[in-house]
Amino acid sequence: MDLTRRHLLGGFAATAAATVLPARLLLAKAPIEQRFVLIILRGALDGLAAMPPYADPDLQALRGALVPPAPGRDGGMVDLDGRFALHPGLASLKDWYEEGSFLPLHAVASPYRDRSHFDGQDLLETGAAWLDGTRDGWLNRTLGLIGATDRRFGIAFAEEIPLVLRGTTPVTSWLPDKPAGLPPGFPDLVARLYDQDPALHAAYVSGLDTTAFGRQIQGMVQTAAAGSATPAQGAMAAAATGADLQLAEAAGRFLADPTGSRIAVMELYGWDTHVLQVKRLDRLLGAYAATLQALRTGLGAAWAQTAILTVTEFGRTAAANGSGGTDHGTGSVAFLAGGAVHGGRVLADWPGLDKLYQGRDLAPTTDLRSVVKGVLRDHLGLPEDGLNRVIFPGSAEAAPMRELVRRA
């Protein structure tokens, strides 16, 4: 229960490092000027829903009602390249794609091949090839290789510093002051207590969406997180709470400050969609797109020097379960965004939905470590030898992907 209690209780109190920071961080001269943001979608994003391979002839038969309407229809998915499309909730990112600042990658996975959230997230964050007891994160090791000495150079915009950013290099975390109450990720954290019992998990998640008690919990969370969104956020504020958008915009301002942070982590919860997936992803993906837009707004001119990588611990089953959702799977998607990104295309060594991993999951064909390596090498200027030895030890077979970012 120690690990479970750590994740649950971590939402109630910030760590000592998560105290209010001054408006300007006043770092010593930063060793790099490029900005890198890692966004972790906790709970396992359904990549086949977020980016449907609508040209695959097996998609509709496998997924049925989980597939959004075809491109061009009301509420339909948004075509990217004649093969893949974005979920309607991500429609606003099509403009980024067309301007070349959005790069989706499909059939991606870490080396993890089981289906535990805790183990999958640990492997995702440590960067190890298997569960070997590593307890520092690959992004903390990245800071060490860069030569960062000021703890404010690396920052988590979270209640507590996530594993990916923990290690021997000092870092910090920050959240704005807010009223006492349940944290925004609380319902998802409780859901994870039921991971080992699918029936209880499904009942709990369904209750959050359909019962008066569930609506009361959601209301308490929203009240605790509430903030006044700016009028310009318009319809996007309906998809994400004002606090979510304000935090993302504040994160952008921290990174934009000439003397501010350069490496950051954000977390978004709620992606464990065992039940009522269509309804829940409409809301979640809209909130994610709005969060990216708020982050871009806060970055301002620093957007041109920024790469934002979004990852999740594993994907979800190709077929729906009996509760209108999907269960824990393998292959998913990763999204790379930012003014420094060489986007406007989809990267996918597509395996086909007629060849499922273990007969149930999207088969991964791209090692997520190769994506991260490509960004760290070409965007942050880290040597390939250091990536293989220090950041992802023993991962020489996962060669860095090229042309993910625009070289400075």
Side-chain angles (χ1 to χ4, degrees):
M1 283 297 293
D2 286 346
L3 183 61
T4 301
R5 290 183 72 252
R6 171 173 63 82
H7 280 267
L8 180 62
L9 297 177
F12 290 101
T15 62
T19 53
V20 176
L21 296 177
R24 291 177 63 85
L25 293 178
L26 299 177
L27 302 184
K29 181 173 174 56
I32 59 171
E33 285 304 316
Q34 290 78 15
R35 281 77 166 171
F36 176 68
V37 182
L38 179 71
I39 299 178
I40 302 176
L41 305 183
R42 297 199 183 274
L45 168 66
D46 184 356
L48 292 173
M51 196 165 80
Y54 75 93
D56 191 303
D58 295 296
L59 178 68
Q60 191 65 53
L62 263 176
R63 312 219 93 198
L66 296 181
V67 182
R73 295 179 56 185
D74 289 344
M77 60 184 94
V78 181
D79 174 62
L80 292 177
D81 64 354
R83 303 174 302 151
F84 299 96
L86 291 175
H87 183 282
L90 302 178
S92 62
L93 299 179
K94 177 64 181 291
D95 289 342
W96 294 18
Y97 180 85
E98 291 180 342
E99 74 180 15
S101 60
F102 183 66
L103 176 62
L105 303 101
H106 219 318
V108 171
S110 79
Y112 185 67
R113 291 295 179 271
D114 293 317
R115 297 179 174 88
S116 161
H117 288 300
F118 293 125
D119 290 346
Q121 290 180 21
D122 278 2
L123 206 64
L124 174 71
E125 296 183 70
T126 63
W130 55 83
L131 296 168
D132 60 1
T134 301
R135 296 318 300 161
D136 62 344
W138 61 261
L139 198 48
N140 189 278
R141 297 194 294 273
T142 295
L143 291 167
L145 200 58
I146 289 172
T149 56
D150 192 309
R151 71 184 182 91
R152 293 162 296 184
F153 186 85
I155 187 169
F157 295 98
E159 293 280 354
E160 62 177 3
I161 295 172
L163 175 57
V164 70
L165 201 54
R166 295 182 204 162
T168 57
T169 301
V171 296
T172 192
S173 63
W174 181 86
L175 279 181
D177 289 335
K178 62 184 180 183
L182 297 178
F186 180 76
D188 190 59
L189 292 171
V190 173
R192 291 170 63 184
L193 294 174
Y194 298 110
D195 260 358
Q196 305 307 314
D197 191 319
L200 283 175
H201 186 284
Y204 171 77
V205 175
S206 178
L208 284 180
D209 284 325
T210 61
T211 69
F213 172 73
R215 289 191 294 272
Q216 181 181 13
I217 290 289
Q218 298 279 24
M220 292 169 68
V221 171
Q222 290 167 5
T223 298
S228 55
T230 63
Q233 288 165 335
M236 292 193 301
T241 67
D244 291 333
L245 300 182
Q246 289 177 347
L247 177 60
E249 190 167 340
R253 291 197 300 271
F254 271 83
L255 293 160
D257 191 318
T259 61
S261 302
R262 293 293 177 266
I263 307 293
V265 180
M266 298 182 67
E267 303 167 295
L268 297 177
Y269 289 89
W271 302 91
D272 197 18
T273 51
H274 289 280
V275 177
L276 301 173
Q277 175 169 296
V278 171
K279 173 183 176 182
R280 295 180 66 202
L281 282 184
D282 284 348
R283 173 176 54 82
L284 287 166
L285 289 169
Y288 166 68
T291 298
L292 286 182
Q293 183 59 62
L295 183 57
R296 179 173 183 169
T297 297
L299 282 162
W303 170 256
Q305 298 170 297
T306 299
I308 304 164
L309 178 63
T310 301
V311 299
T312 194
E313 63 259 39
F314 45 71
R316 307 195 72 82
T317 49
N321 59 26
S323 302
T326 53
D327 298 321
H328 301 173
T330 309
S332 189
V333 296
F335 296 129
L336 191 58
V341 171
H342 181 199
R345 62 217 166 103
V346 175
L347 292 185
D349 178 10
W350 188 244
L353 294 177
D354 59 336
K355 303 180 184 68
L356 298 178
Y357 177 72
Q358 296 186 345
R360 53 173 276 167
D361 303 337
L362 174 64
T365 56
T366 298
D367 191 325
L368 183 59
R369 293 174 300 174
S370 68
V371 178
V372 179
K373 283 182 176 183
V375 176
L376 298 184
R377 183 193 62 190
D378 296 340
H379 184 54
L380 300 187
L382 298 185
E384 193 163 329
D385 176 63
L387 294 172
N388 291 334
R389 288 187 304 101
V390 178
I391 312 304
F392 298 103
S395 66
E397 79 285 355
M401 295 187 73
R402 299 182 182 277
E403 298 184 357
L404 297 181
V405 296
R406 307 178 196 279
R407 289 183 179 271

